[in-house]
Amino acid sequence: MTSEMQKAKQPVVSMVSGPYGHPFHPILVTVPIGAWVASVVFDIGSRIVDDPQFLARGAMWLVAIGVLGALVAAVIGLLDLLAIPTGTTAFRTGLVHMSLNLAVTAAFVVGFFWRSSGGGPQGAVSWGQLVLSLVALAALGVSGYLGGQLAYHYGVRVADETTQATGFQH
């Protein structure tokens, strides 16, 4: 294993970003992903039910929870990015992953303020707000694919095979 590969497996600040072989970023991203997916489900529901205000308001707060969770995950993800040697394919993939996530978070921030203008939702979520959320979720899916490529293909912050082999000893 090259020294560059080994460097990408080690945490920059293990107390914050997680110890060797157990990064915190992948666990933290479940908060914004779950909140934003649920917000879209609530958005769609608000267009179907007779009393949409409850679901529209819930979606607005799920968007906010997702944004807050994304900011925490971004800080930890940045520390993981700093562990990857610059100039590598893995680093460039990490930059695209980060850029997409920042754009997605910005879209949901815009969506939150759009929803909360005028005192919050008064009825069903507008088609424009729903489309914005769907486009942001699609971009999040692409970004998630790239995050998976970083971990599963390039092994960023994943324990090396020698460490992994200890789990298969009798």
Side-chain angles (χ1 to χ4, degrees):
M1 178 177 310
T2 68
S3 64
E4 285 192 332
M5 287 173 62
Q6 190 60 37
K7 181 183 177 203
K9 294 181 176 300
Q10 298 296 327
V12 173
V13 183
S14 64
M15 184 178 285
V16 177
S17 60
Y20 166 75
H22 201 286
F24 294 153
H25 179 70
I27 258 320
L28 292 172
V29 300
T30 61
V31 172
I33 292 169
W36 289 335
V37 168
S39 76
V40 169
V41 171
F42 277 36
D43 285 347
I44 293 168
S46 80
R47 305 227 29 105
I48 297 170
V49 300
D50 292 333
D51 184 17
Q53 187 170 358
F54 175 76
L55 290 175
R57 189 169 298 281
M60 182 180 77
W61 289 110
L62 284 165
V63 167
I65 291 166
V67 168
L68 294 175
L71 294 176
V72 173
V75 170
I76 306 307
L78 179 61
L79 290 174
D80 288 350
L81 178 65
L82 294 175
I84 305 171
T86 59
T88 62
T89 301
F91 187 79
R92 286 189 298 276
T93 302
L95 286 176
V96 173
H97 173 69
M98 178 185 71
S99 298
L100 281 172
N101 285 335
L102 290 172
V104 166
T105 303
F108 277 107
V109 166
V110 167
F112 177 81
F113 285 111
W114 186 2
R115 294 162 189 263
S116 63
S117 64
Q122 304 303 318
V125 171
S126 75
W127 285 109
Q129 293 164 343
L130 178 57
V131 168
L132 176 63
S133 292
L134 288 170
V135 169
L137 272 187
L140 185 63
V142 172
S143 178
Y145 173 83
L146 293 174
Q149 188 172 20
L150 286 166
Y152 298 115
H153 190 73
Y154 299 130
V156 172
R157 292 293 325 275
V158 175
D160 63 38
E161 289 181 5
T162 305
T163 303
Q164 292 172 8
T166 62
F168 296 94
Q169 295 173 350
H170 292 278

